[in-house]
Each structure stands twice: as C-alpha cells, then as structure tokens.
Amino acid sequence: MTHKQPHPDPDMTTFEPKIVAYVCNWCTYLGADLAGTNRLEYPPNVRIIRLPCTGRIDFNLIVKAFETGADAVLVSGCHPGDCHYTSGNYHARRRWTLFRELLDTLGIEMDRIHFTWISAAEGRKWQQVITEITEKTRQMGPYLAYKRICRVS
Amino acid sequence: MARIGVFICWCGENISRHVDVEKLAEQCAHLPGVRCCLTYKYMCSEPGQNLIREKIREERLNGMVVASCSPHMHLKTFRKAAEAEGLNPYLVEMANIREHCSWVHHDVKAATAKAADLIRMAVAKVRRNHALSPIRVPLTKRALVIGGGVAGIQAALDIADAGHEVVLVEREPSIGGKMAGLSETFPTLDCSQCILTPRMVEVGQHPNIRLYTYSDVEAVEGYVGNFSVTIRKRARYVDISKCTGCGACWNACPNKKTPSEFDFGMGKRSAIYVPFPQAVPARPVIDANACTMLTKGKCGLCAKKCAAGAINFKDQDELITEKVGAIVVATGYKLWDIGKEQENAKLAGYGEYGYGTYKDVINSLQFERLVSASGPTGGELRRPSDGAVPKTVVFISCVGSRDNAKGMSYCSKICCMYNAKHTMLYKHKVHDGQAHVFYMDIRAGGKNYDEFVRRAIEQDGAQYHRGRVSKITEENGKLIVRGVDTLAGEPVTIEADLVVLATAMRPADGVETLAQKLNVGYDEYGFLSESHPKLRPVETNAAGVFVCGACQGPKDIPESVAQASAAAGKVQVMFSREEITREPEIASIDERMCAACFTCVRACPYNAIERAEIRDRAGRLIKRTARVNPGLCMGCGTCVAVCPSKSAELEGFTEQQVYAMVESLG
Ligand SMILES: Cc1cc2nc3c(=O)[nH]c(=O)nc-3n(C[C@H](O)[C@H](O)[C@H](O)COP(=O)(O)OP(=O)(O)OC[C@H]3O[C@@H](n4cnc5c(N)ncnc54)[C@H](O)[C@@H]3O)c2cc1C
Ligand code: SF4
Ligand code: SF4
Ligand code: FES
C-alpha cells in the first residue's frame, strides 16, 4: 500500500505544487542543511533527491519527474569553479544547453524547470529559491498540459 | 525479499515538535518491503543504536532507513552500527526529516506528509542498494617531491627521516630554490645560506633520498598509492659519479660571459658552472648554448683539465621511471618580469618604470644578490650601471600586486617585509645612504613582523611614502622617481641612484603543464589549488598529491616550511597503512554494452576512465571498451550522465535507485 498525495486540484484554491529538486551532495544539499540549522522556514513543497554532483544528473530525470506528477523541477549544485569534483557542474551546464532545446521542441514548459547554484553557505538562498519557485508554480497551476504532451507523442 | 527496518528519530523535540512521529511510523510500517518501523527519542545515542542493532538481529533486516538528521551528520554513525551487527553498511540510507523538514516547516500536517515522502524515497532507494566493500589498493611507500626549494627540502627530509624513500626532482642544477640566493632573512636577519645549506647537504647525503637535479617530471601515470613517474634527466655533460667538484673545469672555461641565473643576471658565469659554491650536488653542468665545444665543436678545455675524466660531450637526456605512492609539489614562485612583453593583454606590465631599459632599475631578488656576501659584488652594494655605491635608493612596493587594472589582483604578502629588510640591509652597508619606500599599505602581520618594520623606520631611518610611483626617468646618471605621498597630500620627486621593484610573486614557469599532468587544479594566476582553503590546506583534489610552499600562493619561509611539514605529515599518515582503502561508491562500465565512443573518457574530471580492449584467448580483438580505474574514480557520476549507451553506472546512485526514488513520489 502506498501513501498517495491528494491529486492536485485544478481549481487551484487548494493546489499545492509538487517540486522535485535534484541537488549535489556537497553544496546545495549542505545549503539546504544550513537553512535547517538556521531555522529558515520555507514552503514544504520540495522533495530533494541527493546526487553526488550535478555532473551525475541525466536530464531524462527531469522528464521522469514530470511524468510522476511534478509541477516544477529544480537542478542545483555548486557555483561554477566550486564543484567538489572540479568540473562536474560545467559538464552539467554544457549538457543542459543541449537538452534544453530538445525539451523546448518537445513542448515542455521551460518555465517549470529551474537551474541554479547554491553553495553550502547559502542557506538563505535555498530558502529564497524554494519560496520563489513554489510561488511561481502555484501561480502557473498544476502541470496538466504534460499529460497532454504524453498522449500526443 | 526485502526486509527493511525504518527507524524514526524524535531528536528530542527537534523533530517531534513539527512532525507527528507516531503517525509517521504507522504510515511507514506499511511501505513495501518494510519489516518494522520504530521511533525513539535519540536514535544516534547509545540506546538508540542498540535498539537498531537489536532489530537488525531479531528481524534479520537486509536494509534499513534512519529518518533523522542530515546524512552529513550521522550516516557514518548508523552505517557503523549496522556493520557491527553484520549488516553491510551500504545497505543503510537516511531520510533527512530534521534539517530538510521539521526545522523548516512548522505546519505539522504538511511537515508530516513531507517526512513520509522522504522516508518513502529512502525505502525505495535502499531496496535497490547493493552490499559493497571498501576498495583496497596496494600502496608504494615512496614519495616524489617536485621542486627543491626550502619547501621541497623540508618535505623531503621529513618523509625521509620517517623512514620512507623519497625521490626529489629539481629542474635547476642545484637544490636550494630562492632561499639559497637570499642575503639575510626577516624578521631575524639571520644569514639565509647559513641556515639553509646544512639542510641542503643533509638532502644530498640522506640514505633515503634519491636526488635528481637538472631534471623534469615528464609524465605521471597511475593513481594514489601507485604512481609511475617518468623523469627526464637532462644532459649535464658531466658524469657526476666521476666528478670530484674540484673546479678545474670552470676555472679553465674561456666562455665566462653568460649572465648567471642564480644571480638573476647581476653576475656572470662560465659555460661549465656550478650555480653557487654551496650547490648540492656540488657538481657542474655544461650550458649547451654557451659552450663552444657543443655549439661549434671548438674548445674542449674543460675536458683536458678534468683529471677525473668526468666531462662527456656526448651526454644525452635520460628517461627514468620511478614508482611512488604519493607526490608533493613544491615548485615555488618567480618574480613577475614586468619589463618584457607580457603573455596576455590583461597584463600591461609597467613600462613606465623602465625595468629592462635602465640598468639601475632592478627587482628585489636582484637586490638580494647585490647585498649578499656570496653575491657578484662580494656583498658590497654597487649599482649595475657603473659600480658606484648608491647613496639614494628607492624601493617600490606592490609593483603588479593589488592592481586589478594591469597586474595581479592579489597581495604578494611578503614584499612589505622584505622591503623593510632591504632598507635595513642597505643602511647597514651604506651608512650615509638614504632609503625611500613607496607603499600602499604596510602589511606586517606575523610574530615580530610589525616590530621589524618599525625598526627599519625608527632605527634605520627609512623614509616611507604612502603612495604610488607614476614614472621613472633617467637623467645624467640619476633615476628621477616621480610619485605622490598621499598622507602629505603632495607630489614627491626623488633623485635616486638605484631603484628596486618589489614585483608580484607568481607561480614558477611551467606549473600549469605540471598541474595538468598531476590532475591538480590551479587558479587564474596559476597558483595550485588546495582541496579546502581551511580544512585541507595541503591536500589537492587529486588523491595522493599534496602541495606546499609558494606554488600554492605567496608566502614566506616560515609558512613554506610549516606547510611542507604538514604535507609530509599527510604523506606519513598515508604511509602508516599497508594498503589504501577507498569508498566503494564509484562508477563501473558494462563492457558488453559500451559502444566505445569514449565520451566518458573525455568527461571524467579525474581521468579515471581508460580505453581498453577485450581480446579472446588467441589475442584477437573482440571489442573496445571504456574501463574505470577504481583507484582513480571519485564517484562524481559524470560518466553516467554523459554515456549515450547507458553503460556507465554509479554505485550508491544507480539509475535504478534514482528512478525508484522519483517514482516513489508519484
Ligand atoms: C626579494 C625576496 C626576499 C625574500 N626574503 C625573505 C626573507 O627574508 N624571509 C622569508 O621568510 N622569506 C623571504 N622571501 C620569501 C622566500 O623566498 C619564499 O618564501 C621561499 O623561497 C619559498 O620557498 P619554495 O620552496 O616554496 O619556493 P622556491 O624557493 O621558489 O623553490 C622552488 C624550487 O622548485 C624548483 N622548480 C620549479 N618548477 C619546477 C618543476 N616544474 N620541476 C622541478 N623543479 C621545479 C625551482 O627551481 C626551485 O628550486 C623573500 C622573497 C623575495 C622575492
Ligand atoms: S560513454 Fe558509455 S558507451 Fe561511450 S565509452 Fe563511455 S561507457 Fe562506453
Ligand atoms: S564517476 Fe566521475 S570520477 Fe568516476 S569514472 Fe565516472 S566521471 Fe570519472
Ligand atoms: S559537487 Fe556540487 S556540482 Fe559537483
């Protein structure tokens, strides 16, 4: 038996956006930890998936997140130059520019994908980013259009 | 079949205040694969850990999730507890319901729902975890030290004294680095050579140190514990095993007009030479460009005079391979040559100071040689142009340092100190002379450092002008130095006999190429990057490679030596074990699936992936494939993301695991 989230309510009054965040272990994950240590409150809509590095992020994971009902996806790692593995984030960025076009062509709403760098010291930035994304997604409403894309393609 | 235990921590009230832990436990008990689900006040405490161990035993768990704080806090703790009970530590996962949940979400309903999701993801993941064991790699307990300045010397001696063999590679004909050429050293004014040369001799005679001078590191292969280093011993044209260092050759050499590198061009040397009398090894080399026997086939006087028959004009470079387990880089610095054309447009240089044009405008290391007892003037300060004793000397700080516009933006850190030293040395040699210093700020942090600068000003009468020099011109044998004194608020013009420029400290030439061979990072200026500026100051991101001395950033002798001992200490820690164990959460490649496109080989930040071939028994090529070297892989997972054929996989974060986590949210 799996515990199911209530299905997003299309009339938006009770709509709670579902946000999946792929973050690297060494900067953004620790940034989110710091937000916790400093008790910086933010909306509870984000679910973090910890990966060693943004270099590990295969962008099909973004599609997968939408497939499982995410309304927005965040990818976040170390600032350029700060990657724990020296250059994983450069690779991620390079791949992302290519992948972006593909997703765009497929008709994915690019406004629902967020890319940012948050360091281990930036607890406050984590709080801000999540608050902003949650608000923005709330305004955009549930990603129902994705289901339609799936049906067409 | 999965038998997962879920352990939910209250963390006192830290978690339980905002997460309904009991309700959470009820929900999680029904997750697929979950065998038992318990809560406890403090899971990390001894009774908490005992509870976990008891359950592992009783329920014969084959996986567990601890829902508590950040894995950065306690993953190791819980993995250890599991291991003690015979459960493979890599079958333990955590759900971070404190930092990422109870501490940041205060609505109990929402926080509890999120905590449930986080646990669900962790359970989905742990069901797909593999039991792993640490990777063991053999260890060669020998170290390579690159660079034989004071830092390299210290590191080599420390490691050798600890009983390990050291291979020391120095590209100059002698070890000693810059310190061997300094006169007296701040803040004590003790003679540089007097304190350094005994250590140099120790290196030369140490049974555990194999010294290669006039040599370069040509190539580095392998990985931590198992490096194979190719060293190019450049042709010296002197067989140092035969040579006795008597000096008959360099006395006989008629070509004595080459500017001495050791004296930074302030003196001359012969074509066959030892850079300085206390050189280690005290054996000459022939400069192939200056020797007429080698350039034109004429002369050979040295060979005739050498009773030992050590001269060999047919000598050639030799390549030697050494196996080592750790590498210490100590390649030091150079002073920025502001006179010559610059290597990139951003560096405009300081043509207005006339360095390279006016003979009496020199840099600080040249000044060191002019006041050194072993220098070209025998310690009597005489200016280069006419040999006169300069009565007015201007020292200019920060030439190219702290200058975003056309130089380096960093502070070279030691110039304030050696400028003060120079004014003192000058006053001690030329009693009726006057020293002037132009400076931006005086930075003299350090034990007895500020006192030292004050002495220069108060006792030895150096005149300090706060401000920059705009231009230097030469008129009638005098150098006209025009600047401002911003404290007095007026322009200053000084007629000087000698001008000494404290040009920026920069990494030694060729350090970038070396860093690339070693996989060590460097900053925009070429200084090598430590792995953490505070907590891992001598380690680098390349496992088994350490840095010390001025190659990592501007620093003085005490700091270089301290860092060298620290690097040596790290090497000894490594060598205190019989083998190296590494985290098993690394990548591997399915060689049957690999399309041999080698995208991963190019993407891996650690050059951990090799191109390999699979052959049958008869040696026929079956296919080509990428292969991960477990000694090098650091587990970033970049290869997994770039592989178009999905042949690369990262333990601990496999495709299955990650996808299962996302799906569990659906
Ligand atoms: C004018 C001046 C005065 C100074 N006075 C003082 C003082 O009074 N007191 C004080 O504490 N500090 C003083 N310093 C600072 C001092 O010189 C340095 O702190 C110290 O020399 C740094 O030692 P090091 O071993 O890191 O570098 P270095 O002395 O530069 O030694 C590096 C060595 O590595 C070798 N090398 C470089 N590249 C390679 C390569 N690729 N392969 C093999 N070998 C290589 C070089 O040939 C050299 O022998 C002064 C500096 C200057 C410029
Ligand atoms: S990227 Fe994939 S297919 Fe290409 S060489 Fe590497 S493992 Fe093989
Ligand atoms: S995981 Fe990272 S370090 Fe390991 S082989 Fe793949 S790219 Fe290289
Ligand atoms: S480790 Fe954070 S982006 Fe690579």
Side-chain angles (χ1 to χ4, degrees):
Chain A
M1 195 186 92
T2 33
H3 167 80
K4 282 264 183 243
Q5 285 277 97
H7 203 272
D9 178 1
D11 78 9
M12 282 194 221
T13 45
T14 55
F15 168 58
E16 279 303 328
K18 208 158 111 181
I19 299 159
V20 172
Y22 295 108
V23 312
C24 84
N25 184 38
W26 302 103
C27 281
T28 303
Y29 193 91
L30 285 170
D33 273 4
L34 184 65
T37 316
N38 290 343
R39 314 294 199 277
L40 305 177
E41 247 191 291
Y42 53 86
N45 304 57
V46 63
R47 302 290 177 267
I48 285 187
I49 294 186
R50 181 174 69 104
L51 295 167
C53 173
T54 53
R56 166 68 182 83
I57 298 171
D58 167 355
F59 292 106
N60 288 315
L61 282 169
I62 296 180
V63 182
K64 186 75 202 173
F66 287 132
E67 239 172 73
T68 52
D71 302 299
V73 175
L74 167 67
V75 173
S76 180
C78 312
H79 285 265
D82 287 350
C83 171
H84 183 77
Y85 307 97
T86 64
S87 59
N89 52 4
Y90 289 115
H91 283 288
R93 192 161 60 178
R94 209 170 307 147
R95 268 199 324 283
W96 173 238
T97 44
L98 295 176
F99 207 79
R100 200 189 158 83
E101 281 178 36
L102 186 72
L103 292 187
D104 212 4
T105 326
L106 282 177
I108 303 262
E109 288 175 20
M110 298 312 284
D111 288 355
R112 292 181 183 272
I113 306 175
H114 305 266
F115 220 111
T116 168
W117 319 114
I118 296 175
S119 80
E122 294 175 322
R124 195 159 290 281
K125 184 168 175 193
W126 171 258
Q127 177 196 36
Q128 280 161 1
V129 167
I130 298 304
T131 311
E132 276 165 31
I133 295 178
T134 312
E135 272 330 297
K136 192 175 168 197
T137 315
R138 200 187 296 284
Q139 275 157 26
M140 291 174 76
Y143 197 7
L144 298 173
Y146 187 80
K147 303 263 162 347
R148 261 172 267 138
I149 299 176
C150 292
R151 236 173 289 134
V152 180
S153 54
Chain B
M1 204 188 70
R3 300 170 71 91
I4 313 288
V6 176
F7 302 93
I8 302 171
C9 183
W10 292 53
C11 194
E13 288 196 348
N14 278 300
I15 293 171
S16 62
R17 189 181 299 132
H18 299 298
V19 170
D20 183 342
V21 269
E22 291 307 339
K23 189 168 154 222
L24 189 59
E26 264 166 49
Q27 288 175 0
C28 294
H30 303 292
L31 291 175
V34 170
R35 178 79 192 175
C36 62
C37 182
L38 287 93
T39 72
Y40 189 71
K41 279 264 174 217
Y42 295 102
M43 268 314 164
C44 60
S45 68
E46 179 118 5
Q49 292 190 41
N50 285 340
L51 179 76
I52 293 175
R53 293 181 54 171
E54 206 178 288
K55 283 292 157 192
I56 294 176
R57 212 176 324 132
E58 277 173 12
E59 303 286 350
R60 289 179 294 118
L61 299 182
N62 56 13
M64 64 181 246
V65 170
V66 185
S68 57
C69 49
S70 169
H72 286 275
M73 187 93 186
H74 272 317
L75 184 57
K76 275 211 176 101
T77 314
F78 294 121
R79 284 191 164 168
K80 252 196 211 136
E83 192 173 23
E85 208 49 57
L87 177 65
N88 186 285
Y90 295 91
L91 301 175
V92 177
E93 288 291 337
M94 284 180 80
N96 185 348
I97 62 168
R98 191 180 72 175
E99 282 85 342
H100 291 186
C101 192
S102 68
W103 274 353
V104 288
H105 311 312
H106 295 171
D107 175 73
V108 175
K109 207 167 144 236
T112 309
K114 177 168 174 181
D117 274 1
L118 298 183
I119 295 177
R120 200 142 36 89
M121 282 202 286
V123 170
K125 182 180 186 193
V126 81
R127 291 180 66 184
R128 291 155 182 90
N129 279 24
H130 300 139
L132 303 172
S133 36
I135 292 163
R136 297 174 196 286
V137 278
L139 168 66
T140 310
K141 295 191 194 185
R142 295 178 89 221
L144 168 72
V145 177
I146 309 172
V150 66
I153 289 173
Q154 181 73 24
L157 285 174
D158 278 4
I159 300 169
D161 285 343
H164 305 293
E165 280 180 43
V166 175
V167 178
L168 176 56
V169 176
E170 165 59 56
R171 71 177 171 198
E172 298 298 326
S174 167
I175 56 170
K178 307 298 178 300
M179 189 178 166
L182 299 182
S183 51
E184 290 163 13
T185 54
F186 65 75
T188 44
L189 290 189
D190 41 355
C191 144
S192 188
Q193 288 197 338
C194 310
I195 52 180
L196 183 67
T197 44
R199 311 234 69 195
M200 291 166 56
V201 171
E202 227 182 297
V203 167
Q205 295 176 346
H206 205 296
N208 282 342
I209 299 181
R210 188 175 293 186
L211 178 59
Y212 295 99
T213 51
Y214 215 47
S215 303
D216 299 296
V217 170
E218 179 97 355
V220 180
E221 270 159 42
Y223 50 92
V224 57
N226 301 277
F227 295 106
S228 171
V229 183
T230 312
I231 296 162
R232 177 178 292 273
K233 249 176 95 182
R234 296 204 299 278
R236 195 172 183 121
Y237 306 101
V238 175
D239 182 341
I240 62 171
S241 62
K242 289 186 188 158
C243 168
T244 61
C246 70
C249 55
W250 65 82
N251 288 327
C253 177
N255 302 304
K256 289 197 162 55
K257 294 247 165 65
T258 308
S260 151
E261 294 84 355
F262 184 72
D263 288 332
F264 300 101
M266 294 288 97
K268 301 260 189 288
R269 62 158 172 84
S270 40
I272 182 166
Y273 69 105
V274 289
F276 54 105
Q278 303 86 340
V280 170
R283 301 286 179 267
V285 295
I286 296 182
D287 174 348
N289 296 319
C291 166
T292 48
M293 187 65 192
L294 288 169
T295 52
K296 301 184 193 134
K298 284 185 200 134
C299 184
L301 265 179
C302 55
K304 284 182 202 117
K305 293 282 178 185
C306 178
I311 312 282
N312 170 16
F313 291 113
K314 300 219 167 68
D315 197 10
Q316 286 191 339
D317 287 8
E318 198 184 333
L319 290 178
I320 296 154
T321 308
E322 291 281 4
K323 302 247 180 259
V324 296
I327 300 177
V328 178
V329 191
T331 49
Y333 70 99
K334 66 168 181 196
L335 285 189
W336 181 17
D337 186 352
I338 55 157
K340 276 206 218 115
E341 241 169 67
Q342 298 303 320
E343 71 262 25
N344 69 49
K346 204 199 150 237
L347 300 179
Y350 288 78
E352 64 273 25
Y353 289 173
Y355 182 80
T357 314
Y358 306 141
K359 279 191 172 156
D360 295 325
V361 177
I362 60 174
N363 73 27
S364 307
L365 279 173
Q366 292 173 318
F367 184 80
E368 290 279 344
R369 295 309 298 147
L370 292 184
V371 289
S372 166
S374 70
T377 52
E380 239 181 281
L381 178 59
R382 294 189 171 277
R383 64 181 199 169
S385 64
D386 56 5
V389 176
K391 297 292 179 186
T392 306
V393 181
V394 170
F395 296 91
I396 307 179
S397 306
C398 299
V399 180
S401 304
R402 304 175 65 194
D403 187 346
N404 271 329
K406 53 183 182 172
M408 316 294 150
S409 55
Y410 57 84
C411 165
S412 289
K413 195 172 180 184
I414 57 162
C415 327
C416 288
M417 288 304 294
Y418 70 63
N419 271 334
K421 171 180 82 170
H422 287 174
T423 66
M424 288 163 126
L425 295 179
Y426 171 63
K427 193 66 182 178
H428 301 171
K429 294 207 184 277
V430 184
H431 302 298
D432 57 345
Q434 180 61 52
H436 295 265
V437 178
F438 282 90
Y439 71 101
M440 297 219 278
D441 299 287
I442 298 177
R443 297 188 164 173
K447 195 167 159 182
N448 295 325
Y449 279 21
D450 202 56
E451 297 90 318
F452 183 80
V453 178
R454 294 249 72 86
R455 239 164 67 211
I457 298 171
E458 286 158 14
Q459 284 178 21
D460 289 321
Q463 283 211 16
Y464 271 64
H465 310 275
R466 189 176 199 269
R468 303 212 85 160
V469 168
S470 55
K471 197 164 177 60
I472 299 171
T473 51
E474 198 178 41
E475 284 167 35
N476 308 325
K478 288 277 187 193
L479 294 162
I480 316 298
V481 180
R482 291 191 175 81
V484 277
D485 188 326
T486 54
L487 293 181
E490 56 191 27
V492 189
T493 303
I494 295 167
E495 285 189 17
D497 302 308
L498 182 70
V499 173
V500 184
L501 307 177
T503 57
M505 226 172 163
R506 297 184 63 188
D509 287 326
V511 75
E512 279 107 338
T513 326
L514 181 67
Q516 282 156 14
K517 287 176 191 164
L518 296 165
N519 262 322
V520 169
Y522 46 88
D523 67 16
E524 56 179 311
Y525 306 105
F527 287 116
L528 299 180
S529 307
E530 66 282 10
S531 136
H532 188 285
K534 289 167 196 77
L535 301 178
R536 288 153 66 93
V538 296
E539 283 128 306
T540 67
N541 272 347
V545 183
F546 305 89
V547 286
C548 61
C551 62
Q552 180 262 350
K555 51 179 78 66
D556 59 15
I557 297 164
E559 278 188 304
S560 301
V561 170
Q563 221 186 13
S565 282
K570 287 287 171 193
V571 171
Q572 288 165 54
V573 170
M574 228 180 106
F575 288 1
S576 66
R577 304 194 190 102
E578 291 316 307
E579 56 184 10
I580 298 174
T581 49
R582 311 194 73 225
E583 274 296 316
E585 289 181 329
I586 60 164
S588 63
I589 280 161
D590 184 334
E591 301 191 354
R592 290 160 307 170
M593 299 250 297
C594 171
C597 66
F598 301 125
T599 313
C600 56
V601 174
R602 288 183 293 271
C604 174
Y606 298 94
N607 290 337
I609 310 179
E610 305 157 1
R611 296 160 201 255
E613 288 173 350
I614 302 175
R615 292 180 180 274
D616 66 8
R617 283 223 192 94
R620 279 182 299 254
L621 180 69
I622 298 177
K623 77 179 293 258
R624 284 144 59 71
T625 180
R627 188 171 290 160
V628 175
N629 182 332
L632 282 177
C633 172
M634 302 286 276
C636 67
T638 302
C639 52
V640 181
V642 299
C643 175
S645 71
K646 298 252 159 272
S647 314
E649 189 63 291
L650 179 68
E651 272 304 346
F653 299 89
T654 60
E655 291 285 275
Q656 273 210 345
Q657 287 172 307
V658 179
Y659 276 90
M661 286 173 87
V662 194
E663 276 166 6
S664 77
L665 290 173

